[in-house]
Amino acid sequence: MNWSSIIKFSVFHFVAITLVSTLTTLLIGADNLVKQSSIDSLFYFQAPSALVGLVVLSFYARVQKSQALLHLTVAVVISDILGFVILSALMGKLYFAPTWAIDLFITAFPNSGNKCTTHG
């Protein structure tokens, strides 16, 4: 396992997802996100983050020479743990998002269908 690559892409994945989420919140407004229906929230907030995550992970899969799916899975798990730890530290308590099951599915879904081929 290429741990330096995994850590690098985990941090990059986390930063990319955080930037997209922050931009979405700034553009739509935090108050508007709370007032939206579940479908609108999924479309306007979760979908852009999932697409950016898919792009980052697809790029990682292309540069990974072996065991791409394993490396992608570990990178996503580390990224999610990093997000959980940082958010919990900022809130001063352990915080599980009310939509954690949906977030987990959206995070895992793009990875489950990847047909990772090695180039080289």
Side-chain angles (χ1 to χ4, degrees):
M1 300 249 316
N2 187 355
W3 285 104
S4 64
S5 177
I6 289 173
I7 298 298
K8 178 176 69 172
F9 273 95
S10 296
V11 171
F12 185 69
H13 182 258
F14 170 75
V15 169
I17 297 287
T18 302
L19 285 175
V20 170
S21 297
T22 302
L23 288 174
T24 303
T25 303
L26 289 174
L27 292 174
I28 295 175
D31 293 337
N32 291 335
L33 285 173
V34 172
K35 296 175 187 175
Q36 289 181 351
S37 67
S38 298
I39 296 296
D40 288 341
S41 177
L42 182 68
F43 181 71
Y44 291 115
F45 192 68
Q46 299 291 339
S49 295
L51 288 175
V52 168
L54 182 62
V55 168
V56 169
L57 294 173
S58 295
F59 177 72
Y60 184 39
R62 295 184 119 226
V63 300
Q64 190 58 38
K65 300 294 183 207
S66 66
Q67 298 179 335
L69 188 57
L70 177 63
H71 283 80
L72 290 173
T73 303
V74 172
V76 168
V77 168
I78 290 172
S79 177
D80 286 348
I81 290 171
L82 180 63
F84 173 76
V85 168
I86 290 174
L87 184 60
S88 294
L90 289 172
M91 294 185 73
K93 62 179 180 177
L94 291 179
Y95 177 74
F96 294 96
T99 59
W100 71 269
I102 295 170
D103 296 341
L104 179 64
F105 174 75
I106 290 172
T107 300
F109 179 70
N111 291 328
S112 64
N114 279 348
K115 301 291 186 238
C116 300
T117 58
T118 57
H119 300 358

